Amino acid sequence: MIGPSGEFGIHVDGWAPLHATIEGWVESLALAHHAFMWAKQVTKLVGDDVDGIELDGYEAASR
């Protein structure tokens, strides 16, 4: 769905914005497509495996 401020998200039991703009959503799809085309290996993690990712050397993105 498109929110009142132009953000793109999912609305089931409540509103969950995924991207600030539709353009941001399209750009993220293009970036993911490019990465899948050129990456030598792609690993998808789900569930509890996501909690095991070490993020100590990274900074949180500013919003």
Side-chain angles (χ1 to χ4, degrees):
M1 296 183 74
I2 309 301
S5 300
E7 66 276 14
F8 175 82
I10 297 172
H11 186 15
V12 179
D13 292 331
W15 173 244
L18 301 175
H19 297 279
T21 63
I22 296 170
E23 291 84 2
W25 172 60
V26 171
E27 186 173 335
S28 72
L29 291 174
L31 181 59
H33 175 74
H34 181 79
F36 277 103
M37 292 293 295
W38 293 102
K40 292 182 181 183
Q41 178 180 345
V42 175
T43 304
K44 292 184 181 182
L45 301 173
V46 296
D48 292 337
D49 291 336
V50 174
D51 294 331
I53 300 173
E54 284 292 329
L55 299 175
D56 293 339
Y58 296 92
E59 294 181 24
S62 60
R63 291 183 180 230

